[in-house]
Amino acid sequence: MEFVSGYRDEFLDFAALLFGWFRKFVAERGAVGTSLEGRWWQLEAQIRRLPQDPALWVLHVLPNRSVGISLGQGAEPGPGPGLGSARLLGDDPPLHLRDLSPYVSFVSLEDGEEGEEEEEEDEEEEKRKEGGAGTEKVEPEEDQELAPSSRESPQETNPPGESEEADREAGGGKDGCREDRVENETRPQKTKGQRSEAAPLHLSCLLLVTDEHGTILGIDLLVDGAQGTASWGSGTENLAPRAYALLCHSMACPMGSGDPRKPQQLTVGDARLHRELESLVPRLGVKLAKTPMRTWGPRPGFTFASLRARTCHVCHRHSFEVKLTPCPQCSAVLYCGAACLRADWRRCPDDVSHRFWCPRLATFMDRAGELAALPFTYTAEVTSETFNKEAFLASRGLTRGYWTQLSMLIPGPGSSRHPRGHMPSLSLRGGDPYQLLQGDGPALMPPVPPDPPRALFGSWKDYYTWRGLSLDSPTAVLLTYPLTVYYVITHLVPQSFPELNIQNKQSLKIHVVEAGKEFDLVMVFWELLVLLPHVALELQFVGDGLPPESDQQHFTLQRDGPKVSVRPGSGISARPSSGTKEKGARRDLQIKVSARPYHLLQGPKPDLVIGFNSGFGLKDTWLSSLPRLQSLRVPAFFTESSEYGCVMDDQTMAVATGGGTSPPQPNPFRSPFRLRAADNCMPWYCNAFIFHLVYKPAQGSGTRPAPGPPPPSPTPSAPPALTRRRRGEKKPGRGARRRR
């Protein structure tokens, strides 16, 4: 698939932004060293002429004690040693954070809980052998002393511009640390917590430039080798010129949004560095605060903004490097210039070229207004192309529980909270299944209405009215998953498969295939029993992306009373299921987990199959799972985050089975949060569209599958507004031959 905006972890886009800016910063900084002569005088003159930003800028100095970077052996077959730029910025970027684990991972440098006693015994044995009981060797001490004291600011051993900088520039940012790693692998010493493995690199300090609103403007990573060759506790004489170069580059080329600018005032988060910069910052026409900043942020509501720079669809350069403009014909795809547009227009084969997709993308763009037509009070904010999701969540106190699944904030090493991809928590304090939907304010979910719904809901407004929710409540972002299942059961299956009579069934067995984020939000599916109190539901989550420790797990969410009532102490419990259904009026929600591809699943045939934001073309297992569904011939409904994804799914279904998909229709229970894309302007929303599989007719049936989408309208032979002269008439002829 050409566009992966709705499927890629947002943290990877953010990491690509940081990595791309840092790589450009290292390349342009060059051999600065401790001297500020040469071209830096020209840069200073240029910065003095920049317009002023009224917002306060902050230079953060963040020493790191606990987190190290481990470069894995999986990086060897890649386009370059270590985590090369092509992994994050290339034509085949990773989709999930776990996809980077063979290349790079973050490890704890603190005393690990696992194997800590064994390490201590090994250290004592080494001390006895060398006759140094009670003291430590010099070299192991360097391995363990990876962080500065709290009162000391870090300092580089090698000044910027030495061979280390040249290596980083040649290797592309983080790749410059590869030589340190290779040298470390040849050393016999062991690092605590890293038995018989390559010792991790130490990100000893992070220099970060932000404004008072949290927008990141520049970043510099100061990485030590694992053997602790750099000593950051002796002073900051080499840190000042590096910080000054970072400030200059952040003003001339801000990473976040906006044009080049300089702040009226700057504050520094380190007292020693503040003194060093007192004579340098005024040369830029910027006022330095009288005293250093002694707290994390100048405002209580400080939060890092999620606004990210856009990228060219072809060369992947960011907007801080080049000026990006959308295609003048479809306005959907971003390019840095005519050369990249021309290259994308003429790609081979023809069905992957922008010439082929341009008219289709134009129709997708026309649906932006329809997808943004939602009844919520915050609709205009969350459907904007510049939607700042992290600021929205933080302003409403939605920073814990299930809301962290929507944020780019991820737990660090040693965190007690289960990260994504691990078995979610099923504990229910006070019997409240909605506790993980709570924020820092009042309860978001009101008590369940005493009577079941009398009519079927077909919109968020109708559901919110019956449920007693305010249209200012953002819970629709989480409830999009159970409400989509509800809409499929009550509306789409009766329309497309009326012979199943699904609305009169008292029990339903549903397979959720290629489950991912929805499994991390498993407790939100309790809302299905509120909406369908007469149905006993069994949801089986299937997919090889599920946590392995959850494989074959089976538990039941039960009501202890005859009514659907959620209140503290109501007795709703999560406990292992006996495998037998209880008789009577009580209806339960059974949850099963199978951490394997769907085509390897064994068991009885389900009543319904559902997949969320499927992306058939992004995972090879679909080429086996779709034929499996073809053989079962059960109703299978899938959602996608864009119409583009629906078209690609139809093509994949045709290749895998010879069948197709139904025409996609907008999902009335889609998420209201717009997913911001990096290289395009198309509207992306979680669960935006729904379609079902149209199976290839059985042999001898004489029926044909439903017709696919109509062929696209003819497109011009040359990219729009590329050159002054027109192209020849040969390309329309070639296009006609292709149509025949």
Side-chain angles (χ1 to χ4, degrees), residues 150 159 203 411 496 679 693 721:
S150 59
L203 178 61
S496 303
D679 61 349
L693 299 185

Side-chain angles (χ1 to χ4, degrees), residues 461-477:
K461 185 175 182 179
D462 294 341
Y463 166 75
Y464 264 49
T465 301
W466 174 79
R467 198 61 172 83
L469 289 165
S470 167
L471 290 177
D472 191 56
S473 172
T475 52
V477 183

Side-chain angles (χ1 to χ4, degrees), residues 385-400:
E385 284 192 68
T386 59
F387 171 46
N388 187 346
K389 184 174 60 177
E390 264 63 38
F392 178 88
L393 296 175
S395 65
R396 293 171 175 255
L398 305 176
T399 56
R400 59 187 179 93

Side-chain angles (χ1 to χ4, degrees), residues 368 371-385 387 389 392 403 406 460 464 471-481 667-676 684-688:
L371 293 176
L374 295 168
F376 307 109
T377 58
Y378 49 81
T379 296
E381 177 183 359
V382 300
T383 59
S384 169
E385 284 192 68
F387 171 46
K389 184 174 60 177
F392 178 88
W403 297 102
L406 305 177
W460 280 120
Y464 264 49
L471 290 177
D472 191 56
S473 172
T475 52
V477 183
L478 299 176
L479 295 177
T480 177
Y481 296 102
N667 178 12
F669 294 105
R670 61 191 173 272
S671 170
F673 281 9
R674 179 166 181 166
L675 306 175
R676 191 163 184 255
W684 301 79
Y685 294 86
C686 179
N687 300 325

